[in-house]
Amino acid sequence: VSADLRPLWQADPFAQHSATQLVQDACNLKVLSYKFALLGVSSEVLGRDKLACRIEAQTALDAFVASFANLRAPWHQCDMGEGHVAPQAQICPPETEAILTEFERMARHICAAFEQGDPPDPAELSDLVRFVAGPLCDANTAILEAANCIALATRTDTEKIALTDLRTGLPNSHALKNELARKDSKGGCDAAVARIHIDMTAFRDAHRGADMTAKDAALKHAATAITSVMTEDDFLARVDRDLFALVLYGAQSEDALERRADVIIEALSAPFVFEGKMHQLRPSIGLSLKDKTDDVDLSRCMTNADLALYHAKTAGRAAFRFFTPFLQTQREQKEKLHAQIRIGMDTQQFEPFFQPQVEGRTGKIVGFESLARWHHPTRGLLAPINFLDAAQDAGLLKELDEYLMARTLASMRRWLDDGLAIPQVSLNLTGSRLLETNLVETMLFAADKSNLASSMIGIEILESAMIDNDSKQMMDNITGLAQAGFKLELDDFGTGHASISNLKNFKVDRIKIDRSFVKDIHLYPELSKITGAMIGLAHALRVDALAEGVETPEERLVLNALGCDHFQGYGISRPMPGSEIPRWFKRTQSKTMLIAARA
Amino acid sequence: VLTDEQVELIRASATAVAGANIKATDVFYTNLFKAAPGVRPLFPESMFEQSEKLWQTIAKVVASADDLSAIQNELREMGARHVTYGAEPAHYAVVSEVLIQTLAILTPEDWTDDTQAAWQAALDAICSTMLEGKAQRVG
C-alpha cells in the first residue's frame, strides 16, 4: 500500500473501524473458500449427509459473498480526494476481483447441484479444489497482506493525529510532553524554553460571530510566523487555545535568547490581512534557560517559562520576561495564600468591617460601607488589597463575597431591630460578579432573607469594572439591580476615563469621588475647582456626591463649601467591626439641641 | 459670673452658629491648626468624633451659661482629662482666642464688642475651672 493512502485513511472518520473490518474480511475470504471446498469434497468422498452439506456449503458461500461485497463497499473507498488511490483498487485490483468472481461462479454452480439433490460433479469439485489451492489462495493472501498493511498505516496515522494540533498542523501538547519526556530521559541537555501567548482579543472583536475559519486564520498566521524564525533543531507545539511552546536546543546565552525573543515578537507582530482587514497580533513571551548541569528538567523549565509568561502578559504590549527564582518564590507564596484563604473561609477568619458615611454639614449618618477584612493568623488584620485577587485566582471570590454579604445584611437587620436609624449599607461588587447570570435574583434573595428593602442596600461598582466592557450581561445586571430598587454607586469616580459617560448610561444614585480629588484639597485651589465641578455635575444630574478618603477638618471645610453631600474616610472613622457600631453611633449621633437647651 | 445680657448674647450667637451653612467645629479646628500647628498631634485621627465632642461641650456650656457652677465639676474633670491628652496652660488661651475668632467669622453681622466680651468672660471662667481640675490632677 503506497504512502498515498495515508491521507485518505486519515481523513476517514471510520478509518480505524474500516481497517479492522478489512482484515477480518480478508481472513474470511481465505477461510470460507477452504471451508467450501472441504464441504464439497467431504460430501462426495466421505458420503456425508447431503442435506447437511448443502446447508453448510450455502452458508459458507453466503458468508464469502458478504465479505467480498464488504471489500468493495463504498466506505472502503470514502472521500477520495484528487490524487488519492482508492483502497479498493489497491486491495482488490481487477485481476484479483476476477479470481474471486470466478470462485463465486464455480461455488454457485455446485450449490445449485446440491439444491436439486444431486451430488456435485467430481470433475467440477476437482477444478474447484485446484482453483482454491492455487490462484484463489494467492489472491486471498495478497488481499490479506494489503489489508494488514492498511491497518498498520491507519494505526500509525491515528497515533499521528493524536499528536497533531489539527488547527495549525503543529505538534500538540501531547507531542510536546512526549518530546520533553524523551529528552529528559536522556539526561541533561542545554536548552531554552519559550512559552508564547498570542493575544487575539482585537482580532476576535473584529470578527465577532465569525466561524472557525476566522479564528483559524489568526492561529495559522501565528504558527507560520513562529516557524519562519525557527532553526532546524527547535521544537514548536501549540499547547492551548492561544498558547505555543518553543524548545530551543543547544547552549544559549541570555543575550542570545533575548535576541531570539525579539525576532519572534517582530515576526508575530507583523500585520497581516484577513477578509480585507489589516490585523496585528499581540504576543507575550515567557523564557526559561536550562543548563545541562541544572537540576531542573525540561518539563520544569516549561513550568518556569509559563510563570515568566504570566509576568510578561502583565507587563503589557509585546513583552518578554525571563524566569527568575524570585518569580518562583512569588508563585509559592501565592499558592500558600490560596490555601490560607480556603482555611480562613472554613474557620471564619473573614469578617465584614463597616465604615461610616455621614452627611457633610450635620454629621448625620447616611450609611455604612461594608469592607472585607481578614483576621490572618500570623499577619494580623488584612484589607481586600491583600487577598481579593488571590481569592479570585483560587475561584473563591463568589463564595467569600456571598458569605460577607450575608453577614453584612444580618448586621444591618440587627442594628435596625435595636433602634439604630441607619438608612443604608453599601456592598462592593467586583467586575467578575457583575457578569454573573443570576446576580439580581441572588441579591434580592439575600435582601429578602434579612428582611431588608432593596432601597436600603447600596451597590458600589468600580468605575474600572465598567470601562471598555460592553458585556450585555453586565449592562442587564446593572439595569436589573437599579430596577429592583438597589442604590447604585459609582466607586472611585474620576479615576476612569468613562466617568461622565457612565453617568449617562446608568441610573446612578451616588458618585463616590476618589480620594485623589480630596486629599489636601484645602492646599490646592485648582484641585478644589475640579472637585467642585464633579460635585456640580452630580447635582445637575440629581445624584449625591460622596467624598472618599476625607481625613482632616480642613478638607471637610472646603468640601462643605463646595456642597459635597456625604463624607467617608479615616477623618470620620476607620472601618470597624460590626460590634463597635452601636457604641460609635451613640458617641456621634446623639445630638444636643441648642434650642432645647434654651428652653 | 455672666450677666443676663451676656447669657442672652451667648445663646443668640450660638444659635446663629448652629444654623450656619458651614460647620463651626471644622472652621474652629482649621483655624486652630493654623494658629498652633504644634497641637495637631494631640488630636485623634477621627476629628469627626472629636468635633462632635466639642460641639456637645459648647451646647452644654450654652445651656448652663446662666449658671456655670452647675457644670463646674464636669469642667474640672475635663481639665484633669486634658492633662493626659497633653494639653498645656498656654493652649487654653489659644483655644479661647481661636474659638472667639471662629464665632466672629461665622456670625459677622451679629458680632459686637459686647458679644465678644460675653464669650471672653464665659471662656475665661471655663478655662480657669478646667485648669483647677488640671492642678488637682497634677497635685
Side-chain angles (χ1 to χ4, degrees):
Chain A
V1 179
S2 76
D4 290 339
L5 277 174
R6 293 188 179 197
L8 180 70
W9 286 84
Q10 184 176 312
D12 181 0
F14 299 107
Q16 249 188 314
H17 168 74
S18 302
T20 315
Q21 186 65 46
L22 198 63
V23 174
Q24 187 68 51
D25 287 332
C27 287
N28 283 350
L29 289 181
K30 200 162 196 173
V31 172
L32 292 168
S33 59
Y34 280 130
K35 186 178 179 182
F36 188 90
L38 280 171
L39 283 167
V41 171
S42 66
S43 72
E44 172 62 22
V45 179
L46 305 175
R48 279 186 60 199
D49 175 18
K50 297 275 186 307
L51 184 65
C53 279
R54 194 196 100 194
I55 293 169
E56 279 185 58
Q58 187 62 53
T59 311
L61 178 59
D62 287 349
F64 178 92
V65 170
S67 286
F68 187 26
N70 269 351
L71 273 184
R72 291 172 293 178
W75 50 265
H76 279 169
Q77 313 175 45
C78 60
D79 268 352
M80 279 177 293
E82 208 174 321
H84 294 310
V85 184
Q88 191 233 344
Q90 288 275 329
I91 299 163
C92 203
E95 57 274 23
T96 309
E97 192 177 345
I99 293 170
L100 266 67
T101 311
E102 176 57 16
F103 169 77
E104 189 184 334
R105 190 197 60 76
M106 291 165 86
R108 283 197 190 286
H109 202 257
I110 289 167
C111 277
F114 271 131
E115 190 87 11
Q116 285 164 7
D118 297 334
D121 181 353
E124 268 185 48
L125 265 180
S126 168
D127 284 349
L128 182 91
V129 169
R130 265 201 300 276
F131 192 74
V132 167
L136 185 62
C137 179
D138 293 344
N140 280 339
T141 304
I143 288 172
L144 190 57
E145 274 175 8
N148 274 331
C149 194
I150 280 184
L152 186 68
T154 309
R155 200 158 45 242
T156 310
D157 280 334
T158 308
E159 277 162 19
K160 200 175 157 196
I161 291 167
L163 297 173
T164 305
D165 165 46
L166 296 175
R167 312 257 308 259
T168 58
L170 291 175
N172 63 13
S173 56
H174 297 296
L176 177 70
K177 210 172 148 190
N178 290 351
E179 167 77 6
L180 299 183
R182 201 165 55 81
K183 292 282 180 183
D184 281 336
S185 69
K186 285 184 179 170
C189 66
D190 290 320
V193 162
R195 299 278 281 188
I196 306 165
H197 175 260
I198 316 288
D199 183 352
M200 296 200 283
T201 318
F203 184 82
R204 286 209 184 93
D205 288 348
H207 297 279
R208 194 157 278 191
D211 57 12
M212 296 296 270
T213 328
K215 290 160 193 162
D216 281 0
L219 275 179
K220 278 177 187 148
H221 167 76
T224 313
I226 304 173
T227 314
S228 72
V229 294
M230 271 167 61
T231 71
E232 256 180 36
D233 296 335
D234 299 343
F235 182 90
L236 176 67
R238 176 175 169 246
V239 290
D240 203 352
R241 237 166 33 138
D242 308 338
L243 190 64
F244 296 83
L246 179 62
V247 189
L248 312 159
Y249 291 111
Q252 314 269 345
S253 70
E254 211 169 283
D255 287 347
L257 195 54
E258 261 183 37
R259 284 194 295 276
R260 290 288 307 265
D262 276 334
V263 170
I264 295 170
I265 285 177
E266 202 185 317
L268 279 167
S269 310
F272 68 103
V273 176
F274 177 72
E275 285 184 352
K277 286 186 195 164
M278 186 75 91
H279 296 286
Q280 195 173 15
L281 302 177
R282 179 185 155 178
S284 307
I285 303 182
L287 299 164
S288 179
L289 267 168
K290 176 189 169 327
D291 197 275
K292 64 176 158 225
T293 54
D294 279 351
D295 275 346
V296 287
D297 57 18
L298 271 173
S299 306
R300 184 53 190 248
C301 197
M302 194 60 72
T303 317
N304 291 347
D306 224 12
L307 195 55
L309 172 63
Y310 176 80
H311 285 266
K313 279 202 269 187
T314 52
R317 206 170 173 78
F320 64 83
R321 287 286 180 275
F322 277 94
F323 168 79
T324 61
F326 172 70
L327 293 184
Q328 178 64 22
T329 315
Q330 230 180 7
R331 183 218 201 65
E332 281 163 7
Q333 279 172 348
K334 202 167 161 187
E335 283 165 359
K336 194 171 146 197
L337 186 60
H338 288 178
Q340 286 175 335
I341 291 175
R342 276 191 200 94
I343 295 169
M345 285 173 65
D346 290 343
T347 54
Q348 306 195 332
Q349 291 170 4
F350 289 91
E351 185 190 356
F353 270 39
F354 298 89
Q355 190 171 33
Q357 299 166 329
V358 299
E359 205 178 74
R361 171 63 187 86
T362 62
K364 204 175 156 200
I365 185 81
V366 290
F368 285 100
E369 179 180 1
S370 170
L371 294 155
R373 289 291 182 270
W374 181 10
H375 298 278
H376 191 280
T378 55
R379 293 165 63 195
L381 192 66
L382 299 182
I385 193 166
N386 302 110
F387 59 83
L388 217 56
D389 286 347
Q392 178 143 25
D393 284 351
L396 296 168
L397 188 63
K398 189 180 175 197
E399 200 183 326
L400 180 63
D401 235 24
E402 285 184 351
Y403 169 75
L404 291 168
M405 178 166 78
R407 279 195 61 176
T408 297
L409 300 185
S411 298
M412 178 70 171
R413 178 73 264 157
R414 202 169 48 250
W415 296 327
L416 293 176
D417 290 345
D418 290 346
L420 304 185
I422 301 170
Q424 181 182 313
V425 66
S426 302
L427 302 157
N428 287 281
L429 276 191
T430 56
S432 63
R433 295 227 49 201
L434 282 173
L435 294 169
E436 280 171 25
T437 39
N438 293 322
L439 183 69
V440 179
E441 289 78 6
T442 309
M443 298 294 299
L444 277 174
F445 180 75
D448 193 53
K449 208 173 163 197
S450 293
N451 194 21
L452 292 171
S454 50
S455 60
M456 301 185 92
I457 300 169
I459 294 175
E460 300 197 2
I461 299 165
L462 274 178
E463 264 212 304
S464 54
M466 297 201 280
I467 293 167
D468 298 334
N469 199 320
D470 56 356
S471 150
K472 188 176 178 302
Q473 185 64 54
M474 186 179 281
M475 299 293 166
D476 289 351
N477 277 340
I478 293 174
T479 315
L481 287 168
Q483 280 169 352
F486 292 100
K487 294 282 164 63
L488 290 189
E489 310 188 11
L490 270 189
D491 211 354
D492 292 352
F493 188 83
T495 54
H497 56 261
S499 304
I500 295 174
S501 74
N502 279 332
L503 287 177
K504 181 190 74 190
N505 294 335
F506 309 107
K507 180 201 160 290
V508 172
D509 294 280
R510 183 161 72 180
I511 59 161
K512 296 188 75 183
I513 298 171
D514 186 70
R515 61 190 65 241
S516 55
F517 297 97
V518 171
K519 186 162 175 53
D520 292 336
I521 190 168
H522 56 292
L523 301 178
Y524 304 103
E526 291 307 316
L527 180 62
S528 69
K529 280 182 199 161
I530 295 169
T531 310
M534 283 189 201
I535 296 166
L537 175 72
H539 290 171
L541 295 165
R542 296 172 189 277
V543 168
D544 283 336
L546 177 145
E548 292 184 283
V550 179
E551 290 182 0
T552 65
E554 292 92 330
E555 289 165 355
R556 284 171 57 186
L557 194 60
V558 175
L559 289 163
N560 246 329
L562 294 173
C564 187
D565 305 283
H566 305 151
F567 295 163
Q568 181 179 351
Y570 286 178
I572 311 301
S573 167
R574 282 188 179 247
M576 55 195 145
S579 58
E580 285 180 21
I581 296 296
R583 216 161 61 92
W584 180 88
F585 205 88
K586 203 173 155 210
R587 280 203 308 268
T588 63
Q589 299 296 308
S590 5
K591 302 282 175 202
T592 308
M593 301 301 291
L594 278 167
I595 305 298
R598 290 180 85 188
Chain B
V1 180
L2 304 171
T3 64
D4 287 351
E5 288 80 31
Q6 282 180 319
V7 171
E8 273 313 304
L9 283 171
I10 284 174
R11 285 181 175 163
S13 62
T15 309
V17 165
N21 277 331
I22 298 170
K23 204 171 163 74
T25 48
D26 287 344
V27 180
F28 168 74
Y29 283 116
T30 299
N31 288 338
L32 179 65
F33 295 151
K34 205 188 257 176
V39 303
R40 186 158 206 145
L42 306 182
F43 287 90
E45 180 183 60
S46 169
M47 285 303 292
F48 173 71
E49 214 172 314
Q50 177 66 29
S51 301
E52 293 303 310
K53 238 188 246 176
L54 172 65
W55 187 250
Q56 306 285 348
T57 308
I58 293 173
K60 206 169 276 177
V61 166
V62 171
S64 311
D66 50 352
D67 180 16
L68 285 175
S69 62
I71 55 167
Q72 213 167 22
N73 287 341
E74 223 172 301
L75 290 172
R76 282 198 186 109
E77 282 164 21
M78 206 193 297
R81 273 204 307 280
H82 274 69
V83 179
T84 58
Y85 303 152
E88 290 165 22
H91 292 151
Y92 285 80
V94 179
V95 167
S96 296
E97 196 188 321
V98 171
L99 187 55
I100 285 174
Q101 183 196 346
T102 302
L103 296 167
I105 292 169
L106 289 174
T107 56
E109 286 167 16
D110 305 327
W111 198 257
T112 62
D113 288 348
D114 289 344
T115 315
Q116 179 152 343
W119 273 102
Q120 190 66 63
L123 290 172
D124 285 349
I126 290 163
C127 288
S128 63
T129 313
M130 282 178 75
L131 283 167
E132 278 168 31
K134 172 189 176 331
Q136 279 167 7
R137 163 116 192 177
V138 174

